[in-house]
Amino acid sequence: MYSQIAGTGAHLPEKIVTNGDLERMMDTTDAWIRDRTGIERRHIAADHETTVDLAEPAARRAIEAAGVRPEDIDCIVFATSTPDYVFPNCGVLLQQRLGCRPGGPAFSVEAACSGFLYALAVADKFVRTSDSSCALVVGAETFSRITDWSDRSTAILFADGAGAVVLRPAERPGILSTHLHADGSYKDMLYCPGGVSRDTPAFASEERRKAITMTGNEVFKVAVTSLGKVVDEALAASRLDRSAIDWLVPHQANIRIIQATARKLDLPMERVIVTVQDHGNTSAASVPLALDAGVRDGRIKRGDLLLLEAFGGGVTWGAALVRY
Ligand code: UT7
């Protein structure tokens, strides 16, 4: 038994913030942001919009594209680092919103920007072991809520959005393999303080900031190395040559990181789905947003071999080889 991506969906908040808007807010330039990151604009949630608000339309689109109904969904795995509540988790909230049949598992996964790959790997196992016949996998974030808008080194990068896929059992291999990794020794390189358990006077000085804190150039180096290794690992697991890949669907953190991974795979940029210019870094939403963009504009076709990859705080990283 295999699992297969039966449908994809995405949703972005209406408000767009351009590099020009940021030039007026902080000491930065459109030229620097484009040159160092590839980002031109990003979507930012309205004050009343939450992560689950963004996830709901993305999930509905994925469900419709898969040709199923909300009541067919029997498992929800929701990747986010910016949940609506401490609990219930976003998966449970989404189950109720969509009108899914109650009873199946619904839970969230937190692995920062690698979250969607972690969620996909978990849902794949549910479907392959017959625990689920229709799993919804979501990556959704409101990173603007944990962004320090006075910090030009991070405020230009992060943004909001949601993407989703529906996984169904299949006779032919769909998700060929998933590869997840973490290395906590890099925990201080990219993190967001403000955790519930540390919200006490004892941690007051370090937790006060409650915003993304990153040593960007260090993250850059570890990301390029880790992603280079994990794409090789994914190909080796299926004994496939890099020439077999039809599309690289990477995490959209920085065009230079994406180009480095494409070079490593000897893949021309025409075979890479790039949305970073329009979306910025939407963390766990970035891979499913890019996947949906490639599917809906007709570039990604049924039967294509896709390599999904991501790297995020923790640090965490991963890849998935997928026959779409
Ligand atoms: O998704 C999770 C994983 N996250 C990532 O993968 C992010 C990885 N890191 C990056 O994408 C890049 O490191 C950044 C885009 C964050 C930064 O680019 P960089 O080329 O590594 O720049 P840098 O941090 O080494 O800074 C270079 C210069 C510094 O000035 P000095 O010290 O050379 O005078 C910064 O102060 O650029 C300056 N700088 C800026 N200048 C204009 C930093 N941010 C800005 C800015 N506008 N927004």
Side-chain angles (χ1 to χ4, degrees):
M1 176 80 82
Y2 299 99
S3 82
Q4 195 189 10
I5 295 178
T8 68
H11 178 74
L12 291 157
E14 214 171 288
K15 183 179 170 191
I16 293 175
V17 174
T18 65
N19 292 350
D21 295 329
L22 293 178
E23 277 181 340
R24 288 182 280 280
M25 289 165 65
M26 61 191 75
D27 179 19
T28 191
T29 61
D30 173 48
W32 191 95
I33 301 172
R34 277 177 201 252
D35 182 51
R36 304 313 295 163
T37 72
I39 301 168
E40 297 171 20
R41 61 191 71 81
R42 69 286 288 142
H43 291 251
I44 300 295
D47 283 352
H48 63 270
E49 265 174 326
T50 70
T51 294
V52 173
D53 290 334
L54 300 182
E56 186 185 341
R60 287 198 187 279
R61 282 182 193 131
I63 289 167
E64 192 188 347
V68 296
R69 298 161 305 164
E71 49 271 41
D72 298 322
I73 302 290
D74 55 15
C75 170
I76 300 179
V77 190
F78 195 124
T80 189
S81 301
T82 46
D84 288 26
Y85 293 99
V86 173
F87 65 86
N89 73 68
C90 288
V92 171
L93 299 175
L94 188 61
Q95 184 203 53
Q96 186 269 333
R97 288 264 197 108
L98 293 173
C100 304
R101 192 161 10 107
F107 54 98
S108 57
V109 167
E110 193 275 282
C113 301
S114 314
F116 180 77
L117 282 166
Y118 272 63
L120 187 71
V122 172
D124 171 52
K125 287 170 181 48
F126 268 90
V127 173
R128 276 198 290 115
T129 54
S130 301
D131 282 343
S132 160
S133 65
C134 198
L136 176 66
V137 190
V138 179
E141 303 278 16
T142 43
F143 254 51
S144 61
R145 303 277 153 74
I146 53 167
T147 297
D148 174 355
W149 289 96
S150 67
D151 174 8
R152 69 175 183 172
S153 71
T154 53
I156 55 137
L157 301 171
F158 295 100
D160 305 332
V165 304
V166 169
L167 289 189
R168 303 224 58 199
E171 303 268 301
R172 73 167 176 88
I175 311 282
L176 301 180
S177 65
T178 54
H179 308 267
L180 305 180
H181 297 284
D183 185 348
S185 66
Y186 288 118
K187 67 181 174 53
D188 297 329
M189 212 164 55
L190 170 53
Y191 66 100
C192 180
V196 178
S197 179
R198 291 168 73 94
D199 195 4
T200 73
F203 299 106
S205 60
E206 59 190 277
E207 298 292 290
R208 209 176 46 235
R209 206 167 111 87
K210 295 196 181 181
I212 303 161
T213 306
M214 177 168 77
T215 317
N217 43 18
E218 293 300 318
V219 175
F220 189 99
K221 285 180 229 159
V222 182
V224 169
T225 312
S226 307
L227 290 171
K229 284 188 192 149
V230 80
V231 294
D232 278 347
E233 181 190 329
L235 287 168
S238 291
R239 293 194 184 81
L240 285 166
D241 186 75
R242 51 195 181 173
S243 61
I245 299 169
D246 292 303
W247 295 102
L248 175 65
V249 187
H251 172 46
Q252 311 283 324
N254 186 314
I255 189 67
R256 293 181 293 133
I257 299 177
I258 296 172
Q259 285 163 342
T261 309
R263 263 196 307 276
K264 162 94 188 156
L265 290 165
D266 219 3
L267 209 60
M269 285 306 286
E270 295 74 52
R271 307 303 288 175
V272 183
I273 307 292
V274 179
T275 56
V276 69
Q277 70 284 0
D278 297 324
H279 298 169
N281 183 346
T282 57
S283 188
S286 108
V287 171
L289 273 167
L291 177 63
D292 185 68
V295 166
R296 290 200 185 244
D297 68 20
R299 280 177 291 172
I300 296 175
K301 297 192 170 54
R302 282 283 165 207
D304 281 355
L305 185 70
L306 317 180
L307 183 51
L308 281 47
E309 49 88 331
F311 181 91
V315 295
T316 55
W317 69 101
L321 202 55
V322 176
R323 182 71 66 188
Y324 180 66

